[in-house]
Amino acid sequence: MEINVLEIGALITTLVFFGVLYFLKRKHVNFGIRTLIATAFGVIIGLIFKENYKYVAAFGTVYVNALQAFVVPLLLFSVISSITNLGDQVKLHKVGLKSVLFLLLNTFTAAVITLVAALSLGLGKGFQYTVEATEAKEVPTAVEAIVGLFPKNLINEWGSNTVVPILIFGLVVALAYNRVVKKDESVKPFKAFVDAANTVLGRAVSFIVSFTPYAVTALIARAVGRSKLEDLLPLLSVLVVAYVLAAIQLFGVESILIATIGKLNPVTFLKKIAPAGIVAFTSQSSVGTLPVTVSKLKEDLGVDGDVAAFTAGLGANLGMPGCAGIWPVLLAVFTINQQGISYSAGQYVLLIALTLLVSIGTVGVPGTATITATALFTAAGLPVELIVLFSPISSIVDMARTATNVVGAAAATVLTAETEGLLDHEVYNGKVAEKVSESKEASAA
Protein backbone atom coordinates (compact mmCIF):
# COMPACT_ATOMS: atom_id res chain seq x y z
CA MET A 1 0.00 0.00 0.00
CA GLU A 2 1.48 3.30 -1.08
CA ILE A 3 1.63 5.97 1.63
CA ASN A 4 0.62 9.47 0.62
CA VAL A 5 2.93 11.82 2.51
CA LEU A 6 0.62 14.79 2.04
CA GLU A 7 -2.34 12.91 3.51
CA ILE A 8 -0.23 11.96 6.54
CA GLY A 9 0.92 15.57 6.81
CA ALA A 10 -2.67 16.77 6.69
CA LEU A 11 -3.61 14.32 9.43
CA ILE A 12 -0.75 15.38 11.70
CA THR A 13 -1.55 19.06 11.15
CA THR A 14 -5.20 18.39 11.94
CA LEU A 15 -4.32 16.59 15.18
CA VAL A 16 -2.16 19.54 16.21
CA PHE A 17 -5.05 21.90 15.56
CA PHE A 18 -7.32 19.57 17.53
CA GLY A 19 -4.89 19.93 20.42
CA VAL A 20 -5.17 23.70 20.20
CA LEU A 21 -8.97 23.50 20.17
CA TYR A 22 -8.91 21.22 23.22
CA PHE A 23 -6.61 23.65 25.01
CA LEU A 24 -8.99 26.52 24.26
CA LYS A 25 -11.88 24.46 25.61
CA ARG A 26 -9.96 23.82 28.84
CA LYS A 27 -9.45 27.58 29.08
CA HIS A 28 -13.25 27.98 28.78
CA VAL A 29 -13.11 29.87 25.49
CA ASN A 30 -16.62 30.44 24.10
CA PHE A 31 -17.98 27.62 21.92
CA GLY A 32 -18.82 30.00 19.08
CA ILE A 33 -15.31 31.46 19.08
CA ARG A 34 -13.79 27.99 19.05
CA THR A 35 -15.98 27.08 16.09
CA LEU A 36 -14.81 30.15 14.19
CA ILE A 37 -11.18 29.29 15.00
CA ALA A 38 -11.86 25.74 13.81
CA THR A 39 -13.12 27.19 10.53
CA ALA A 40 -9.84 29.04 10.08
CA PHE A 41 -7.94 25.84 10.83
CA GLY A 42 -9.99 23.97 8.24
CA VAL A 43 -9.33 26.65 5.62
CA ILE A 44 -5.57 26.49 6.33
CA ILE A 45 -5.49 22.69 6.01
CA GLY A 46 -7.55 22.80 2.83
CA LEU A 47 -5.38 25.47 1.22
CA ILE A 48 -2.11 23.72 2.08
CA PHE A 49 -2.99 20.08 1.46
CA LYS A 50 -5.80 20.58 -1.09
CA GLU A 51 -7.38 17.26 -2.11
CA ASN A 52 -5.28 15.21 0.31
CA TYR A 53 -8.00 15.11 2.96
CA LYS A 54 -8.74 11.37 3.07
CA TYR A 55 -7.81 10.83 6.73
CA VAL A 56 -8.88 14.29 7.86
CA ALA A 57 -12.39 13.96 6.41
CA ALA A 58 -12.94 10.78 8.44
CA PHE A 59 -13.36 12.87 11.61
CA GLY A 60 -16.18 14.84 10.02
CA THR A 61 -17.83 11.70 8.70
CA VAL A 62 -17.80 10.08 12.15
CA TYR A 63 -19.38 13.21 13.64
CA VAL A 64 -22.17 13.28 11.04
CA ASN A 65 -22.84 9.56 11.50
CA ALA A 66 -22.97 9.91 15.30
CA LEU A 67 -25.35 12.83 15.04
CA GLN A 68 -27.64 10.91 12.70
CA ALA A 69 -27.64 7.93 15.07
CA PHE A 70 -29.35 9.99 17.76
CA VAL A 71 -31.93 11.73 15.57
CA VAL A 72 -34.64 9.06 15.79
CA PRO A 73 -34.41 8.11 19.49
CA LEU A 74 -34.03 11.72 20.61
CA LEU A 75 -37.01 12.96 18.60
CA LEU A 76 -39.14 9.97 19.58
CA PHE A 77 -38.73 10.49 23.32
CA SER A 78 -38.85 14.28 22.99
CA VAL A 79 -42.20 14.17 21.18
CA ILE A 80 -43.73 11.75 23.68
CA SER A 81 -42.40 13.84 26.58
CA SER A 82 -43.66 17.13 25.13
CA ILE A 83 -47.17 15.89 24.33
CA THR A 84 -47.61 13.99 27.61
CA ASN A 85 -46.67 17.16 29.48
CA LEU A 86 -49.97 18.59 28.26
CA GLY A 87 -51.78 16.18 30.54
CA ASP A 88 -49.81 17.04 33.65
CA GLN A 89 -51.80 20.12 34.63
CA VAL A 90 -55.55 19.67 34.61
CA LYS A 91 -56.08 23.43 34.96
CA LEU A 92 -54.28 23.95 31.67
CA HIS A 93 -56.00 21.14 29.80
CA LYS A 94 -57.96 23.50 27.55
CA VAL A 95 -54.98 25.85 27.29
CA GLY A 96 -52.73 23.04 26.05
CA LEU A 97 -54.23 22.78 22.58
CA LYS A 98 -54.11 26.54 22.00
CA SER A 99 -50.53 26.66 23.23
CA VAL A 100 -49.49 24.06 20.70
CA LEU A 101 -51.51 25.78 17.98
CA PHE A 102 -49.93 29.21 18.49
CA LEU A 103 -46.41 27.78 18.91
CA LEU A 104 -46.73 25.84 15.66
CA LEU A 105 -48.25 28.89 13.94
CA ASN A 106 -45.00 30.69 14.69
CA THR A 107 -42.98 27.89 13.13
CA PHE A 108 -45.28 27.76 10.11
CA THR A 109 -45.01 31.47 9.33
CA ALA A 110 -41.23 31.39 9.81
CA ALA A 111 -40.87 28.36 7.53
CA VAL A 112 -43.09 29.80 4.77
CA ILE A 113 -41.38 33.20 4.77
CA THR A 114 -37.99 31.49 4.69
CA LEU A 115 -39.02 29.22 1.83
CA VAL A 116 -40.26 32.16 -0.27
CA ALA A 117 -37.17 34.27 0.46
CA ALA A 118 -34.66 31.47 -0.16
CA LEU A 119 -36.30 30.45 -3.44
CA SER A 120 -36.57 34.06 -4.62
CA LEU A 121 -32.90 34.70 -3.89
CA GLY A 122 -31.80 31.38 -5.40
CA LEU A 123 -29.65 30.56 -2.39
CA GLY A 124 -27.20 27.74 -3.04
CA LYS A 125 -27.06 28.06 -6.82
CA GLY A 126 -23.49 28.10 -8.05
CA PHE A 127 -22.06 26.89 -4.74
CA GLN A 128 -19.32 24.41 -5.68
CA TYR A 129 -19.39 21.41 -3.36
CA THR A 130 -19.87 17.71 -3.98
CA VAL A 131 -21.04 14.96 -1.66
CA GLU A 132 -20.65 11.23 -1.85
CA ALA A 133 -22.94 9.75 -4.49
CA THR A 134 -24.45 7.36 -1.94
CA GLU A 135 -25.70 10.27 0.16
CA ALA A 136 -28.05 11.64 -2.49
CA LYS A 137 -31.52 10.15 -2.44
CA GLU A 138 -34.24 10.19 -5.02
CA VAL A 139 -36.94 12.68 -4.13
CA PRO A 140 -40.27 10.85 -3.71
CA THR A 141 -43.46 12.01 -5.38
CA ALA A 142 -46.02 13.86 -3.24
CA VAL A 143 -48.28 10.77 -2.98
CA GLU A 144 -45.37 8.46 -2.10
CA ALA A 145 -44.17 10.91 0.51
CA ILE A 146 -47.61 11.20 2.14
CA VAL A 147 -48.00 7.42 2.31
CA GLY A 148 -44.49 7.18 3.72
CA LEU A 149 -45.38 9.51 6.57
CA PHE A 150 -47.17 6.74 8.43
CA PRO A 151 -45.36 4.00 10.37
CA LYS A 152 -45.32 0.44 9.03
CA ASN A 153 -42.41 -1.35 10.68
CA LEU A 154 -40.93 0.60 13.58
CA ILE A 155 -37.67 -1.36 13.71
CA ASN A 156 -36.96 -0.99 9.99
CA GLU A 157 -37.82 2.70 10.02
CA TRP A 158 -35.64 3.28 13.07
CA GLY A 159 -32.77 1.44 11.40
CA SER A 160 -33.10 3.45 8.20
CA ASN A 161 -33.47 6.78 10.07
CA THR A 162 -36.94 7.34 8.62
CA VAL A 163 -37.87 10.20 10.92
CA VAL A 164 -41.49 11.14 10.22
CA PRO A 165 -43.18 7.76 10.79
CA ILE A 166 -41.30 7.57 14.09
CA LEU A 167 -42.62 10.99 15.10
CA ILE A 168 -46.20 10.01 14.20
CA PHE A 169 -45.74 6.83 16.22
CA GLY A 170 -44.59 8.97 19.14
CA LEU A 171 -47.58 11.29 18.78
CA VAL A 172 -50.03 8.36 18.88
CA VAL A 173 -48.30 6.85 21.93
CA ALA A 174 -48.32 10.21 23.75
CA LEU A 175 -52.00 10.86 23.03
CA ALA A 176 -52.84 7.33 24.17
CA TYR A 177 -50.97 7.91 27.43
CA ASN A 178 -52.78 11.20 28.07
CA ARG A 179 -56.11 9.40 27.74
CA VAL A 180 -55.19 6.30 29.76
CA VAL A 181 -53.52 8.12 32.68
CA LYS A 182 -56.80 9.86 33.55
CA LYS A 183 -58.34 6.50 34.48
CA ASP A 184 -55.31 4.42 35.41
CA GLU A 185 -52.40 6.01 37.30
CA SER A 186 -50.43 2.77 37.16
CA VAL A 187 -49.09 3.89 33.76
CA LYS A 188 -47.24 6.86 35.29
CA PRO A 189 -43.92 4.94 35.44
CA PHE A 190 -44.04 5.00 31.61
CA LYS A 191 -44.02 8.80 31.73
CA ALA A 192 -41.12 8.78 34.19
CA PHE A 193 -39.16 6.47 31.88
CA VAL A 194 -39.83 8.66 28.83
CA ASP A 195 -38.79 11.84 30.65
CA ALA A 196 -35.65 10.18 31.98
CA ALA A 197 -34.75 8.82 28.53
CA ASN A 198 -35.37 12.25 27.01
CA THR A 199 -33.02 13.85 29.54
CA VAL A 200 -30.28 11.25 29.03
CA LEU A 201 -30.50 11.39 25.23
CA GLY A 202 -30.44 15.19 25.36
CA ARG A 203 -27.23 15.03 27.37
CA ALA A 204 -25.77 12.53 24.90
CA VAL A 205 -26.53 14.87 21.98
CA SER A 206 -24.98 17.76 23.88
CA PHE A 207 -21.85 15.63 24.25
CA ILE A 208 -21.71 14.93 20.51
CA VAL A 209 -22.41 18.56 19.62
CA SER A 210 -19.48 19.58 21.84
CA PHE A 211 -17.22 18.02 19.17
CA THR A 212 -18.56 20.40 16.51
CA PRO A 213 -15.35 22.49 16.29
CA TYR A 214 -13.32 19.37 15.50
CA ALA A 215 -15.83 18.25 12.88
CA VAL A 216 -15.87 21.73 11.38
CA THR A 217 -12.07 21.68 11.02
CA ALA A 218 -12.26 18.38 9.15
CA LEU A 219 -15.22 19.19 6.92
CA ILE A 220 -14.10 22.72 6.08
CA ALA A 221 -10.68 21.28 5.16
CA ARG A 222 -12.39 18.89 2.78
CA ALA A 223 -14.64 21.64 1.40
CA VAL A 224 -11.70 23.96 0.73
CA GLY A 225 -9.65 21.08 -0.64
CA ARG A 226 -12.42 20.24 -3.09
CA SER A 227 -13.05 23.77 -4.29
CA LYS A 228 -11.66 27.28 -4.44
CA LEU A 229 -11.92 29.51 -1.39
CA GLU A 230 -14.07 32.07 -3.21
CA ASP A 231 -16.62 29.32 -3.84
CA LEU A 232 -17.29 29.20 -0.08
CA LEU A 233 -18.24 32.87 0.14
CA PRO A 234 -21.94 32.17 -0.68
CA LEU A 235 -22.18 30.73 2.85
CA LEU A 236 -21.96 34.31 4.13
CA SER A 237 -25.12 35.18 2.20
CA VAL A 238 -26.94 32.61 4.32
CA LEU A 239 -25.75 34.43 7.45
CA VAL A 240 -27.17 37.75 6.24
CA VAL A 241 -30.45 36.24 5.04
CA ALA A 242 -30.89 34.37 8.33
CA TYR A 243 -30.58 37.58 10.34
CA VAL A 244 -32.99 39.43 8.07
CA LEU A 245 -35.53 36.61 8.33
CA ALA A 246 -35.17 36.49 12.12
CA ALA A 247 -35.82 40.24 12.28
CA ILE A 248 -38.90 39.89 10.04
CA GLN A 249 -40.27 37.09 12.22
CA LEU A 250 -39.44 38.78 15.52
CA PHE A 251 -40.56 42.34 14.79
CA GLY A 252 -42.98 41.83 11.91
CA VAL A 253 -44.82 38.51 12.21
CA GLU A 254 -45.07 38.51 16.00
CA SER A 255 -46.42 42.07 15.94
CA ILE A 256 -49.04 41.14 13.34
CA LEU A 257 -50.15 38.09 15.37
CA ILE A 258 -50.40 40.11 18.57
CA ALA A 259 -52.38 42.86 16.82
CA THR A 260 -54.72 40.72 14.71
CA ILE A 261 -55.41 37.68 16.90
CA GLY A 262 -54.89 39.22 20.32
CA LYS A 263 -56.20 42.72 19.45
CA LEU A 264 -53.36 44.05 21.61
CA ASN A 265 -50.72 46.74 21.13
CA PRO A 266 -47.67 44.98 19.60
CA VAL A 267 -45.31 47.84 20.52
CA THR A 268 -46.20 47.34 24.18
CA PHE A 269 -45.52 43.63 23.84
CA LEU A 270 -42.12 44.12 22.18
CA LYS A 271 -41.01 46.75 24.72
CA LYS A 272 -41.94 44.65 27.74
CA ILE A 273 -40.55 41.35 26.43
CA ALA A 274 -37.33 43.01 25.21
CA PRO A 275 -35.28 42.07 28.33
CA ALA A 276 -35.99 38.37 27.70
CA GLY A 277 -35.06 38.78 24.04
CA ILE A 278 -31.78 40.44 24.97
CA VAL A 279 -30.90 37.70 27.47
CA ALA A 280 -31.73 35.08 24.83
CA PHE A 281 -29.61 36.87 22.22
CA THR A 282 -26.57 37.07 24.48
CA SER A 283 -26.90 33.69 26.26
CA GLN A 284 -28.07 31.71 23.19
CA SER A 285 -30.22 29.58 25.49
CA SER A 286 -34.02 29.44 25.35
CA VAL A 287 -34.17 27.26 28.46
CA GLY A 288 -31.72 29.48 30.34
CA THR A 289 -33.86 32.51 29.49
CA LEU A 290 -37.09 30.93 30.81
CA PRO A 291 -36.97 32.58 34.28
CA VAL A 292 -36.72 36.03 32.66
CA THR A 293 -39.38 35.20 30.06
CA VAL A 294 -41.89 33.90 32.62
CA SER A 295 -41.22 36.85 34.94
CA LYS A 296 -41.85 39.42 32.18
CA LEU A 297 -44.98 37.59 31.02
CA LYS A 298 -46.50 37.55 34.51
CA GLU A 299 -45.36 40.84 35.98
CA ASP A 300 -45.18 43.15 32.96
CA LEU A 301 -47.62 41.63 30.45
CA GLY A 302 -50.31 40.40 32.85
CA VAL A 303 -50.33 36.74 31.78
CA ASP A 304 -51.77 34.22 34.25
CA GLY A 305 -48.88 32.56 36.12
CA ASP A 306 -49.78 28.99 35.21
CA VAL A 307 -50.21 29.85 31.53
CA ALA A 308 -46.92 31.77 31.51
CA ALA A 309 -44.97 28.89 33.01
CA PHE A 310 -46.70 26.22 30.93
CA THR A 311 -46.75 27.76 27.45
CA ALA A 312 -43.37 29.50 27.66
CA GLY A 313 -41.84 26.29 29.02
CA LEU A 314 -43.45 24.25 26.26
CA GLY A 315 -42.11 26.80 23.76
CA ALA A 316 -38.57 25.86 24.75
CA ASN A 317 -39.24 22.34 23.44
CA LEU A 318 -41.89 22.78 20.76
CA GLY A 319 -42.21 25.10 17.80
CA MET A 320 -39.20 27.43 18.01
CA PRO A 321 -39.47 29.52 14.80
CA GLY A 322 -35.76 30.34 14.70
CA CYS A 323 -34.24 26.91 15.24
CA ALA A 324 -37.05 24.78 13.81
CA GLY A 325 -38.53 27.11 11.18
CA ILE A 326 -35.99 29.50 9.67
CA TRP A 327 -32.71 27.59 9.92
CA PRO A 328 -33.72 24.07 8.69
CA VAL A 329 -35.76 25.42 5.75
CA LEU A 330 -33.03 27.90 4.80
CA LEU A 331 -30.42 25.14 4.69
CA ALA A 332 -32.81 22.74 2.93
CA VAL A 333 -33.54 25.19 0.08
CA PHE A 334 -29.83 26.04 -0.18
CA THR A 335 -29.02 22.32 -0.47
CA ILE A 336 -31.81 21.64 -2.97
CA ASN A 337 -30.53 24.45 -5.19
CA GLN A 338 -26.88 23.51 -4.71
CA GLN A 339 -27.47 19.85 -5.53
CA GLY A 340 -29.72 20.72 -8.48
CA ILE A 341 -32.59 18.61 -7.12
CA SER A 342 -35.88 19.09 -8.94
CA TYR A 343 -38.60 19.95 -6.43
CA SER A 344 -42.26 20.45 -7.34
CA ALA A 345 -44.62 22.86 -5.57
CA GLY A 346 -46.23 19.90 -3.82
CA GLN A 347 -42.87 18.70 -2.52
CA TYR A 348 -42.11 22.16 -1.13
CA VAL A 349 -45.49 22.08 0.66
CA LEU A 350 -44.50 18.70 2.05
CA LEU A 351 -41.17 20.18 3.16
CA ILE A 352 -43.07 22.74 5.26
CA ALA A 353 -45.26 19.97 6.69
CA LEU A 354 -42.16 17.98 7.61
CA THR A 355 -40.71 21.09 9.26
CA LEU A 356 -43.80 21.46 11.45
CA LEU A 357 -43.76 17.79 12.38
CA VAL A 358 -40.06 17.82 13.22
CA SER A 359 -40.50 21.02 15.25
CA ILE A 360 -42.76 19.15 17.66
CA GLY A 361 -39.73 17.15 18.67
CA THR A 362 -37.37 20.09 18.98
CA VAL A 363 -35.37 19.82 22.17
CA GLY A 364 -34.06 22.61 24.38
CA VAL A 365 -30.41 21.53 24.36
CA PRO A 366 -27.32 23.07 22.77
CA GLY A 367 -27.29 22.18 19.10
CA THR A 368 -31.09 22.28 18.75
CA ALA A 369 -30.91 23.89 15.31
CA THR A 370 -28.40 21.30 14.13
CA ILE A 371 -30.42 18.33 15.35
CA THR A 372 -33.65 19.78 13.90
CA ALA A 373 -32.02 20.49 10.54
CA THR A 374 -30.56 16.98 10.59
CA ALA A 375 -34.00 15.51 11.22
CA LEU A 376 -35.52 17.52 8.37
CA PHE A 377 -32.71 16.59 5.98
CA THR A 378 -33.04 12.93 6.93
CA ALA A 379 -36.80 13.00 6.39
CA ALA A 380 -36.45 14.81 3.05
CA GLY A 381 -33.57 12.67 1.80
CA LEU A 382 -31.05 15.53 1.65
CA PRO A 383 -27.30 15.11 2.36
CA VAL A 384 -26.72 15.84 6.06
CA GLU A 385 -23.05 16.61 5.42
CA LEU A 386 -23.91 20.10 4.14
CA ILE A 387 -25.44 21.06 7.51
CA VAL A 388 -22.08 20.76 9.25
CA LEU A 389 -20.47 23.13 6.75
CA PHE A 390 -22.75 25.86 8.09
CA SER A 391 -21.58 25.35 11.69
CA PRO A 392 -19.21 28.37 11.65
CA ILE A 393 -22.00 30.80 10.78
CA SER A 394 -24.56 28.76 12.72
CA SER A 395 -22.94 29.81 15.99
CA ILE A 396 -23.33 33.46 14.94
CA VAL A 397 -26.88 33.01 13.67
CA ASP A 398 -27.78 31.23 16.92
CA MET A 399 -28.02 34.57 18.73
CA ALA A 400 -30.77 35.75 16.39
CA ARG A 401 -32.40 32.30 16.30
CA THR A 402 -32.62 32.09 20.10
CA ALA A 403 -34.05 35.59 20.47
CA THR A 404 -36.63 34.73 17.81
CA ASN A 405 -37.53 31.51 19.63
CA VAL A 406 -38.00 33.25 22.98
CA VAL A 407 -40.04 36.19 21.66
CA GLY A 408 -42.12 33.78 19.55
CA ALA A 409 -42.87 31.61 22.58
CA ALA A 410 -43.77 34.73 24.57
CA ALA A 411 -46.13 35.88 21.81
CA ALA A 412 -47.80 32.45 21.75
CA THR A 413 -48.18 32.65 25.54
CA VAL A 414 -49.81 36.08 25.39
CA LEU A 415 -52.19 34.96 22.65
CA THR A 416 -53.13 31.82 24.57
CA ALA A 417 -53.83 33.82 27.73
CA GLU A 418 -55.78 36.52 25.87
CA THR A 419 -58.04 34.07 23.98
CA GLU A 420 -58.75 32.21 27.23
CA GLY A 421 -59.52 35.37 29.23
CA LEU A 422 -56.44 34.90 31.38
CA LEU A 423 -54.67 38.18 30.53
CA ASP A 424 -54.83 41.21 32.83
CA HIS A 425 -55.25 44.14 30.43
CA GLU A 426 -54.47 46.73 33.06
CA VAL A 427 -51.08 45.16 33.67
CA TYR A 428 -50.46 44.71 29.94
CA ASN A 429 -51.26 48.33 29.17
CA GLY A 430 -49.32 49.62 32.18
CA LYS A 431 -52.34 51.07 33.97
CA VAL A 432 -51.46 49.31 37.21
CA ALA A 433 -48.02 50.90 37.18
CA GLU A 434 -49.63 54.28 36.51
CA LYS A 435 -51.98 53.83 39.48
CA VAL A 436 -49.07 52.85 41.75
CA SER A 437 -47.11 55.89 40.59
CA GLU A 438 -50.10 58.21 41.17
CA SER A 439 -50.60 56.68 44.62
CA LYS A 440 -46.96 57.32 45.55
CA GLU A 441 -47.18 60.89 44.32
CA ALA A 442 -50.36 61.45 46.35
CA SER A 443 -48.74 60.04 49.46
CA ALA A 444 -45.69 62.23 48.98
CA ALA A 445 -47.91 65.30 48.62
Side-chain angles (χ1 to χ4, degrees):
M1 179 179 176
E2 184 178 351
I3 298 178
N4 187 317
V5 177
L6 288 177
E7 288 181 348
I8 298 298
L11 175 60
I12 294 174
T13 304
T14 300
L15 293 176
V16 171
F17 284 152
F18 282 179
V20 174
L21 291 172
Y22 179 74
F23 173 78
L24 294 175
K25 180 181 180 181
R26 292 293 299 270
K27 291 296 181 180
H28 305 291
V29 175
N30 180 270
F31 180 84
I33 294 176
R34 285 187 284 120
T35 304
L36 291 175
I37 293 173
T39 302
F41 286 164
V43 171
I44 292 171
I45 295 170
L47 290 175
I48 294 175
F49 297 99
K50 301 188 184 302
E51 71 277 2
N52 299 288
Y53 50 73
K54 177 181 177 182
Y55 300 124
V56 175
F59 294 104
T61 301
V62 169
Y63 173 87
V64 171
N65 290 345
L67 197 59
Q68 285 184 298
F70 278 89
V71 169
V72 168
L74 181 63
L75 289 179
L76 173 62
F77 285 102
S78 181
V79 165
I80 297 176
S81 179
S82 295
I83 301 302
T84 52
N85 284 340
L86 297 178
D88 286 345
Q89 301 184 46
V90 177
K91 183 178 179 181
L92 295 178
H93 178 69
K94 188 177 179 181
V95 172
L97 185 59
K98 285 189 176 180
S99 298
V100 173
L101 175 64
F102 288 129
L103 287 169
L104 290 181
L105 178 61
N106 266 312
T107 307
F108 175 75
T109 55
V112 171
I113 291 172
T114 301
L115 178 65
V116 172
L119 288 175
S120 300
L121 295 171
L123 285 184
K125 292 182 178 178
F127 179 69
Q128 300 300 315
Y129 186 82
T130 56
V131 296
E132 298 296 332
T134 55
E135 295 185 43
K137 297 181 181 179
E138 182 179 350
V139 180
T141 64
V143 175
E144 291 173 340
I146 292 173
V147 172
L149 291 177
F150 299 92
K152 179 181 179 182
N153 186 312
L154 194 64
I155 301 301
N156 288 344
E157 284 156 352
W158 188 313
S160 61
N161 255 358
T162 308
V163 175
V164 181
I166 297 293
L167 289 180
I168 291 181
F169 176 85
L171 284 172
V172 173
V173 171
L175 293 173
Y177 171 85
N178 284 347
R179 174 162 294 190
V180 172
V181 75
K182 295 176 183 178
K183 300 178 181 179
D184 186 2
E185 293 191 355
S186 66
V187 299
K188 284 190 174 181
F190 173 78
K191 168 67 173 169
F193 164 73
V194 169
D195 288 343
N198 189 40
T199 300
V200 172
L201 288 170
R203 182 62 61 86
V205 169
S206 296
F207 174 71
I208 293 173
V209 170
S210 70
F211 287 95
T212 297
Y214 306 100
V216 166
T217 298
L219 291 172
I220 291 295
R222 178 167 65 178
V224 174
R226 284 176 171 176
S227 57
K228 298 177 182 179
L229 183 58
E230 55 266 26
D231 292 333
L232 297 177
L233 293 180
L235 293 181
L236 297 179
S237 64
V238 177
L239 172 65
V240 175
V241 172
Y243 262 84
V244 171
L245 289 170
I248 291 173
Q249 180 70 27
L250 197 157
F251 297 106
V253 174
E254 304 304 343
S255 294
I256 292 173
L257 293 177
I258 289 291
T260 56
I261 298 178
K263 308 297 182 184
L264 299 167
N265 188 333
V267 176
T268 300
F269 167 75
L270 290 174
K271 282 183 178 179
K272 293 189 173 184
I273 204 62
I278 293 171
V279 171
F281 187 87
T282 54
S283 68
Q284 300 179 45
S285 173
S286 297
V287 174
T289 309
L290 266 178
V292 180
T293 307
V294 174
S295 173
K296 292 300 173 183
L297 285 168
K298 291 194 299 182
E299 298 173 11
D300 294 352
L301 290 168
V303 176
D304 174 82
D306 288 335
V307 176
F310 178 81
T311 308
L314 189 62
N317 292 275
L318 185 149
M320 304 180 76
C323 289
I326 295 174
W327 191 242
V329 173
L330 193 62
L331 299 195
V333 175
F334 185 99
T335 302
I336 290 168
N337 286 336
Q338 191 275 328
Q339 293 285 298
I341 302 174
S342 178
Y343 252 55
S344 66
Q347 287 165 334
Y348 278 118
V349 170
L350 183 61
L351 186 70
I352 298 297
L354 292 174
T355 302
L356 289 176
L357 191 56
V358 167
S359 74
I360 296 175
T362 301
V363 290
V365 298
T368 294
T370 300
I371 199 70
T372 306
T374 302
L376 179 62
F377 271 51
T378 303
L382 300 173
V384 175
E385 177 185 326
L386 282 171
I387 296 174
V388 184
L389 291 180
F390 287 92
S391 293
I393 65 169
S394 178
S395 61
I396 301 174
V397 175
D398 195 45
M399 295 185 289
R401 285 195 310 244
T402 308
T404 304
N405 292 340
V406 168
V407 174
T413 305
V414 168
L415 293 176
T416 300
E418 170 63 16
T419 55
E420 282 297 310
L422 296 172
L423 183 75
D424 189 327
H425 289 85
E426 288 194 347
V427 174
Y428 185 94
N429 294 315
K431 293 182 179 179
V432 171
E434 291 176 5
K435 290 179 180 179
V436 171
S437 178
E438 291 173 359
S439 177
K440 288 182 178 180
E441 289 177 1
S443 299

